Amino acid sequence: MIDKVPSDAHQRYRDDGVMLFHDVLDAAAMRQVQAAYDWSHAHLTAALQDFAVNDDERFIADTNSSARRRVYHELLRDTPIADIVRALFGGESPIWYLGEQIFYKQGPRGTRRTPWHQDSSYGNFEGPKMAVIWIPLDPVPRENSLEVVRGSHLGTTYNGSRFEPGDDTAPLYPASDLPRLPDIESERSRWDIVGAAMEPGDLMVFHMSALHGGGGTLPGVRRRSLSLRFIGDDVVWIERSDVPHPN
């Protein structure tokens, strides 16, 4: 598997904060991805978030850390995912698993976009060796795909989006020194946006400080995806005093 990772992947990831890999998870690996996703979907947690705008729309995200569960332990042990992360971190750093997040989008009229945001705005970590592996379980056309702003992990850390319907830049922290998110969607030509049509077996890796967002879905089309988060040996804990919006 590691031969599918370019020799310059470490430097490219450090510079760009995003990489796409096509056809790197074979059928056996995708069965393990599906099993992990199905387990999480059957065991939703108190961290479940519902981002739907309409009553007939389903757009959920749920976050957990299930490495000790057999289905996730085997996924991390038996598939090339950890090797890919290790290569992007330079091949020498140990890697630690932070946890997973599942997404489900579907609606008879389609679903909303996932607002542009940075995962680091919602957490307490910073450093070069951070990675999110995003794996689609359904075919995703380019216009509905996950997108990442190339190089944005090296720039400003913005206030998080609170996923407010009608205002994707509404701040997560009402009182904060973090600047408000730019309205990337209305000024797409100003940003170096990376995205692609993806199939099961493909994956995208992006830095947790990279600006990213996801297209909505077309009417009736289902989009399921699994994200896995990892850190390396140069990541540090930071304290945040900002208080999130009550919603």
Side-chain angles (χ1 to χ4, degrees):
M1 153 57 238
I2 207 69
D3 61 343
K4 293 190 178 182
V5 178
S7 59
D8 63 346
H10 173 51
Q11 188 60 50
R12 286 170 57 186
Y13 185 68
R14 284 181 65 91
D15 293 344
D16 295 348
V18 57
M19 289 195 71
L20 275 160
F21 293 90
H22 291 287
D23 196 28
V24 293
L25 299 178
D26 62 17
M30 283 306 300
R31 284 194 292 271
Q32 290 183 278
V33 170
Q34 181 73 62
Y37 181 96
D38 289 346
W39 185 90
S40 290
H41 199 263
H43 298 83
L44 297 175
T45 75
L48 178 72
Q49 294 172 294
D50 185 350
F51 298 122
V53 175
N54 301 306
D55 291 341
D56 58 358
E57 172 186 343
R58 185 161 172 78
F59 177 5
I60 63 166
D62 193 29
T63 306
N64 204 354
S65 185
S66 305
R68 289 187 174 87
R69 297 288 181 177
R70 179 176 177 180
V71 67
Y72 275 95
H73 179 78
E74 292 177 350
L75 173 67
L76 298 170
R77 182 193 66 193
D78 298 339
T79 69
I81 291 170
D83 290 336
I84 294 173
V85 175
R86 188 172 291 109
L88 295 183
F89 287 177
E92 297 180 358
S93 170
I95 61 173
W96 289 273
Y97 181 66
L98 283 185
E100 70 278 354
Q101 191 170 31
I102 64 167
F103 299 89
Y104 186 102
K105 288 186 175 186
Q106 189 175 28
R109 290 174 285 175
T111 60
R112 63 176 292 190
R113 279 191 60 89
T114 301
W116 290 95
H117 65 284
Q118 296 158 298
D119 287 357
S120 56
S121 299
Y122 300 82
N124 296 87
F125 299 98
E126 66 178 24
K129 294 174 185 172
M130 301 198 295
V132 182
I133 303 281
W134 188 81
I135 309 169
L137 280 78
D138 303 292
V140 183
R142 171 64 185 88
E143 60 270 23
N144 306 119
S145 72
L146 180 71
E147 299 178 310
V148 179
V149 176
R150 193 192 318 270
S152 57
H153 65 303
L154 301 174
T156 302
T157 298
Y158 295 98
N159 204 317
S161 169
R162 68 170 183 260
F163 286 54
E164 180 77 13
D167 185 359
D168 286 354
T169 70
L172 172 68
Y173 307 111
S176 175
D177 292 334
L178 297 176
R180 190 179 182 120
L181 281 160
D183 189 357
I184 296 173
E185 196 57 24
S186 67
E187 303 176 311
R188 290 179 61 92
S189 63
R190 295 183 53 191
W191 303 84
D192 186 0
I193 295 174
V194 176
M198 298 178 69
E199 297 284 337
D202 301 341
L203 59 83
M204 181 183 286
V205 190
F206 62 93
H207 193 279
M208 288 168 60
S209 292
L211 287 160
H212 62 284
T217 60
L218 298 172
V221 175
R222 179 181 65 176
R223 198 192 84 178
R224 299 165 300 159
S225 58
L226 174 67
S227 287
L228 308 171
R229 292 184 173 88
F230 300 86
I231 58 173
D233 59 7
D234 57 5
V235 172
V236 296
W237 177 269
I238 58 171
E239 292 294 337
R240 292 196 187 278
S241 59
D242 297 334
V243 178
H245 188 278
N247 290 337

